[in-house]
Amino acid sequence: MDNYSIYDLTFEQLTAWVLEHGEKKFRAAQIWDWLYVKHASDFDEMTNLSGKSIRLLKEHFTIGTLKERIAQKAKDGTTKFLFQLTDGNLIETVLMPHEYGLSVCVTSQVGCNIGCSFCASGLLRKNRDLTSGEMVEQLVAIQKRLDREENGERVGHVVVMGIGEPFDNFDHVMDFLRIINDQKGLAIGARHITVSTSGIVPKIYQFADIDWQINLAISLHAPNNELRSRIMKINRAYPIEKLMEAVDYYLKKTNRRVTFEYIMLKGINDHKEEALQLAALLQNKRHLVFVNLIPYNPVEEHSDYQRSEEEAVAAFYGTLQKKGINAAVRKEFGTDIDAACGQLRSKQIKKAKVRRS
Ligand code: SAH
Ligand code: SF4
């Protein structure tokens, strides 16, 4: 067995594989349908395939390797999953019930090397990238769980905002997006998918050059280089001017709106001055951008950061509004379960270390 996951393949790759192995082209469509429409868990379920085809698939691929270790459901219906990968690594995925439907927040790497100073995921350096199949499986595993509950619910939105920096795992993330966007499969519409980046500038250009309608979110968090470099060291490599040039290129190329994420950190980036700077920074593209003000989820290890006071958030929002910048304060999900993304995983790893020592 080659031990590749069948979920790693885009439809084009599966078709090429099928042809290479002497099968008819329509086999690929049949297999795809079993994987992404019927949500099969085993090759043996694929009853319209010949025994020989099933054996061939089994020889080359695995199907479904994620193990659900924990599922925490919050009062608002948000469910946070801790999955174990075949090599024992742990990742998190979150299912969120929005008024417009179910959305899943997907992890793209085991840990993160970008090391933003406020983030739980960055505490543990990157162990490895996820394969495209491991990202696809996060969705498939959750969809299968929903199927079992039999209330006809379907995941319709995806955000790549879990652990990791998606643009540091660019090729796998792009394949993942192609797979979940495929109309004959999971069919998650491009406009319903958002990828969030800390601002890896060359990859923003590359992303803009792909001809699709997937949304881009930029984690800005500070409106000037001095402050941004202090809280996000990636800003030293890709300062705000370069980031904005890349955003301008993206806007021109795609005609899509860009979302800027801005975590509200008490006494750090939440003053009127920063609101005015942010408004000035975005003024020339204000019809094309949207600012998401994000309540900070406190992380034990980063005790120097606290969530901004409600009045500070309201005042910041008000300043942006007055300057004509579209903004919203992000709704929080699952506040009664482990809050920040990356926390459930880092807690489990800490527990395991305590058990071992
Ligand atoms: N690496 C990508 C995507 C994953 S992080 C990125 O940084 O954009 C997804 C979002 O969660 C980012 O905007 C990130 O800054 C934010 N985030 C990280 N830690 C957080 C915390 N403790 N509370 C609230 N948001 C946080
Ligand atoms: Fe990585 Fe994003 Fe966390 Fe920064 S905020 S450390 S880029 S996951």
Side-chain angles (χ1 to χ4, degrees), residues 200-218:
I200 302 189
V201 164
K203 300 294 178 193
I204 296 175
Y205 286 98
Q206 231 175 301
F207 188 72
D209 285 337
I210 305 175
D211 190 17
W212 57 20
Q213 301 288 304
I214 290 177
N215 303 301
L216 179 66
I218 308 274

Side-chain angles (χ1 to χ4, degrees), residues 112 114-116 118-119 121-122 162-165 198:
C112 184
I114 307 295
C116 301
F118 44 78
C119 175
S121 303
I163 300 166
E165 167 49 53
S198 57

Side-chain angles (χ1 to χ4, degrees), residues 77-96:
T78 302
T79 313
K80 194 153 191 172
F81 298 91
L82 188 76
F83 289 118
Q84 185 172 340
L85 308 173
T86 41
D87 60 4
N89 274 308
L90 299 171
I91 57 164
E92 277 178 42
T93 312
V94 187
L95 173 68
M96 291 166 292

Side-chain angles (χ1 to χ4, degrees), residues 156-186:
H157 293 73
V158 169
V159 293
V160 188
M161 291 193 187
I163 300 166
E165 167 49 53
F167 283 1
D168 182 39
N169 184 15
F170 194 82
D171 294 343
H172 287 160
V173 170
M174 296 308 117
D175 274 352
F176 158 68
L177 298 174
R178 284 184 193 104
I179 296 167
I180 64 168
N181 179 230
D182 188 287
Q183 280 312 297
K184 293 206 171 73
L186 292 172

